[in-house]
Amino acid sequence: MAKRKKLIAVFIVLAVVLVGIILFCSHLWAYFNACVTDCRDKAGYLGMFYDMQPEINKYIDYEMLSDEYQKEISYDQYTGADTPEELIELFSTEIFHKYPEVTVSPDQTTHGYKRQPGGSVELNGQWYYIGHEIDFEPDFFTLDIRVVRWYTEIREINEEDLPVLY
Protein backbone atom coordinates (compact mmCIF):
# COMPACT_ATOMS: atom_id res chain seq x y z
CA MET A 1 0.00 0.00 0.00
CA ALA A 2 2.86 2.41 0.81
CA LYS A 3 4.44 1.73 -2.57
CA ARG A 4 1.20 2.59 -4.28
CA LYS A 5 0.91 5.92 -2.40
CA LYS A 6 4.52 6.77 -3.30
CA LEU A 7 3.86 5.90 -6.95
CA ILE A 8 0.75 8.10 -7.01
CA ALA A 9 2.69 10.96 -5.38
CA VAL A 10 5.46 10.64 -7.98
CA PHE A 11 2.90 10.71 -10.82
CA ILE A 12 1.22 13.79 -9.34
CA VAL A 13 4.58 15.58 -9.02
CA LEU A 14 5.50 14.61 -12.60
CA ALA A 15 2.11 15.82 -13.87
CA VAL A 16 2.49 19.18 -12.09
CA VAL A 17 6.04 19.58 -13.46
CA LEU A 18 4.88 18.63 -16.96
CA VAL A 19 2.00 21.12 -16.83
CA GLY A 20 4.43 23.79 -15.61
CA ILE A 21 6.81 23.07 -18.47
CA ILE A 22 3.97 23.19 -21.00
CA LEU A 23 2.72 26.52 -19.64
CA PHE A 24 6.23 27.95 -19.61
CA CYS A 25 6.88 26.84 -23.19
CA SER A 26 3.54 28.19 -24.40
CA HIS A 27 4.26 31.58 -22.81
CA LEU A 28 7.78 31.56 -24.24
CA TRP A 29 6.36 30.67 -27.65
CA ALA A 30 3.81 33.49 -27.40
CA TYR A 31 6.56 35.94 -26.47
CA PHE A 32 8.72 34.72 -29.34
CA ASN A 33 5.79 35.15 -31.74
CA ALA A 34 5.30 38.69 -30.42
CA CYS A 35 8.95 39.41 -31.21
CA VAL A 36 8.54 38.02 -34.73
CA THR A 37 5.49 40.27 -35.13
CA ASP A 38 7.59 43.22 -33.96
CA CYS A 39 10.18 42.35 -36.62
CA ARG A 40 7.46 42.26 -39.27
CA ASP A 41 6.05 45.58 -38.08
CA LYS A 42 9.49 47.22 -38.09
CA ALA A 43 10.13 45.99 -41.65
CA GLY A 44 6.72 47.26 -42.77
CA TYR A 45 7.26 50.61 -41.06
CA LEU A 46 10.61 51.13 -42.77
CA GLY A 47 9.12 49.94 -46.05
CA MET A 48 6.89 53.01 -46.00
CA PHE A 49 9.95 55.27 -46.21
CA TYR A 50 10.74 54.64 -49.86
CA ASP A 51 11.19 58.37 -50.46
CA MET A 52 13.09 59.26 -47.30
CA GLN A 53 16.56 60.66 -47.16
CA PRO A 54 19.03 57.83 -46.60
CA GLU A 55 19.46 58.73 -42.91
CA ILE A 56 17.94 55.41 -41.93
CA ASN A 57 20.52 55.14 -39.15
CA LYS A 58 18.23 57.52 -37.24
CA TYR A 59 15.34 54.99 -37.38
CA ILE A 60 17.36 51.91 -36.41
CA ASP A 61 19.20 52.12 -33.10
CA TYR A 62 22.82 50.97 -32.98
CA GLU A 63 21.82 48.42 -30.32
CA MET A 64 19.55 46.73 -32.87
CA LEU A 65 22.52 45.84 -35.08
CA SER A 66 23.72 42.26 -34.74
CA ASP A 67 27.12 41.61 -33.20
CA GLU A 68 28.60 41.14 -36.67
CA TYR A 69 27.63 44.69 -37.65
CA GLN A 70 28.71 46.15 -34.32
CA LYS A 71 32.18 44.64 -34.78
CA GLU A 72 32.58 46.39 -38.13
CA ILE A 73 31.00 49.76 -37.29
CA SER A 74 31.61 51.84 -34.19
CA TYR A 75 28.79 53.49 -32.28
CA ASP A 76 30.14 56.97 -33.06
CA GLN A 77 30.55 56.22 -36.76
CA TYR A 78 26.99 54.88 -36.98
CA THR A 79 25.16 57.49 -34.92
CA GLY A 80 27.31 60.41 -36.08
CA ALA A 81 26.71 59.95 -39.81
CA ASP A 82 24.61 62.98 -40.78
CA THR A 83 26.20 64.63 -43.79
CA PRO A 84 26.15 63.12 -47.29
CA GLU A 85 29.89 62.41 -47.02
CA GLU A 86 29.46 60.56 -43.72
CA LEU A 87 26.40 58.64 -44.94
CA ILE A 88 28.11 57.49 -48.13
CA GLU A 89 31.20 56.54 -46.14
CA LEU A 90 29.11 54.62 -43.59
CA PHE A 91 27.03 52.76 -46.15
CA SER A 92 30.09 52.05 -48.32
CA THR A 93 31.51 49.90 -45.53
CA GLU A 94 32.01 46.32 -46.73
CA ILE A 95 29.56 44.87 -44.20
CA PHE A 96 26.68 46.70 -45.96
CA HIS A 97 27.50 44.92 -49.26
CA LYS A 98 28.17 41.45 -47.90
CA TYR A 99 24.77 39.72 -48.13
CA PRO A 100 22.85 40.53 -51.32
CA GLU A 101 20.19 37.85 -50.72
CA VAL A 102 17.36 37.94 -48.19
CA THR A 103 18.05 35.67 -45.20
CA VAL A 104 14.73 35.70 -43.30
CA SER A 105 11.07 34.99 -43.91
CA PRO A 106 9.39 37.45 -46.31
CA ASP A 107 7.55 39.41 -43.63
CA GLN A 108 10.69 40.26 -41.61
CA THR A 109 12.50 42.14 -44.34
CA THR A 110 12.08 45.48 -46.09
CA HIS A 111 12.79 43.66 -49.37
CA GLY A 112 9.59 42.58 -51.05
CA TYR A 113 7.60 45.74 -50.48
CA LYS A 114 6.94 47.79 -53.61
CA ARG A 115 9.91 49.98 -52.78
CA GLN A 116 12.73 49.72 -50.30
CA PRO A 117 13.73 52.55 -47.98
CA GLY A 118 16.16 54.89 -49.65
CA GLY A 119 16.78 58.36 -50.93
CA SER A 120 19.07 60.70 -52.81
CA VAL A 121 21.94 62.81 -51.52
CA GLU A 122 24.18 65.33 -53.21
CA LEU A 123 27.93 65.15 -52.71
CA ASN A 124 30.23 67.63 -54.46
CA GLY A 125 27.69 68.35 -57.20
CA GLN A 126 27.03 64.66 -57.92
CA TRP A 127 23.78 62.99 -56.87
CA TYR A 128 23.75 59.50 -55.37
CA TYR A 129 20.90 57.12 -54.68
CA ILE A 130 21.25 55.08 -51.47
CA GLY A 131 18.81 52.16 -51.15
CA HIS A 132 18.50 49.74 -48.25
CA GLU A 133 17.33 46.15 -47.82
CA ILE A 134 17.15 45.23 -44.14
CA ASP A 135 16.34 41.88 -42.53
CA PHE A 136 15.22 41.60 -38.90
CA GLU A 137 15.17 38.61 -36.55
CA PRO A 138 14.60 38.19 -32.83
CA ASP A 139 17.79 37.37 -30.93
CA PHE A 140 17.44 33.77 -29.75
CA PHE A 141 18.48 34.47 -26.14
CA THR A 142 17.22 38.00 -25.44
CA LEU A 143 14.38 38.06 -28.03
CA ASP A 144 15.33 41.65 -28.89
CA ILE A 145 14.92 42.68 -32.53
CA ARG A 146 18.24 42.49 -34.39
CA VAL A 147 19.33 43.55 -37.87
CA VAL A 148 20.84 40.40 -39.34
CA ARG A 149 21.30 41.63 -42.92
CA TRP A 150 21.59 45.17 -44.20
CA TYR A 151 22.36 45.38 -47.89
CA THR A 152 22.94 48.88 -49.27
CA GLU A 153 23.00 49.98 -52.89
CA ILE A 154 24.80 53.22 -53.71
CA ARG A 155 24.80 54.49 -57.28
CA GLU A 156 25.35 57.77 -59.11
CA ILE A 157 22.27 59.33 -60.66
CA ASN A 158 21.63 62.37 -62.84
CA GLU A 159 19.92 65.38 -61.33
CA GLU A 160 17.14 65.22 -63.92
CA ASP A 161 16.26 61.71 -62.65
CA LEU A 162 15.36 63.06 -59.19
CA PRO A 163 13.50 62.01 -57.18
CA VAL A 164 14.63 58.39 -57.43
CA LEU A 165 12.09 56.17 -55.70
CA TYR A 166 13.37 52.71 -56.58
Side-chain angles (χ1 to χ4, degrees), residues 96-114:
F96 287 106
H97 303 282
K98 192 172 180 180
Y99 302 107
E101 300 299 323
V102 174
T103 61
V104 298
S105 67
D107 60 355
Q108 295 178 37
T109 180
T110 60
H111 184 76
Y113 292 91
K114 291 185 178 182

Side-chain angles (χ1 to χ4, degrees), residues 25-42:
C25 289
S26 67
H27 282 83
L28 184 64
W29 183 251
Y31 184 61
F32 185 73
N33 280 337
C35 292
V36 170
T37 301
D38 288 347
C39 290
R40 182 183 66 222
D41 292 346
K42 187 73 168 178

Side-chain angles (χ1 to χ4, degrees), residues 52-58 60 65 69 73 77-78 81-98 121 129-132 134 150-154:
M52 67 181 276
Q53 293 295 316
E55 299 156 348
I56 201 161
N57 57 325
K58 305 301 179 210
I60 297 176
L65 299 178
Y69 284 86
I73 304 158
Q77 180 186 10
Y78 182 79
D82 291 324
T83 66
E85 296 89 356
E86 294 168 336
L87 290 167
I88 289 175
E89 180 182 341
L90 171 67
F91 294 123
S92 293
T93 307
E94 183 180 337
I95 192 75
F96 287 106
H97 303 282
K98 192 172 180 180
V121 294
Y129 169 75
I130 304 177
H132 306 275
I134 305 166
W150 190 333
Y151 183 73
T152 304
E153 174 193 4
I154 301 174

Side-chain angles (χ1 to χ4, degrees), residues 6-20:
K6 286 182 183 180
L7 191 58
I8 290 173
V10 167
F11 280 128
I12 290 174
V13 168
L14 287 175
V16 168
V17 168
L18 184 62
V19 167

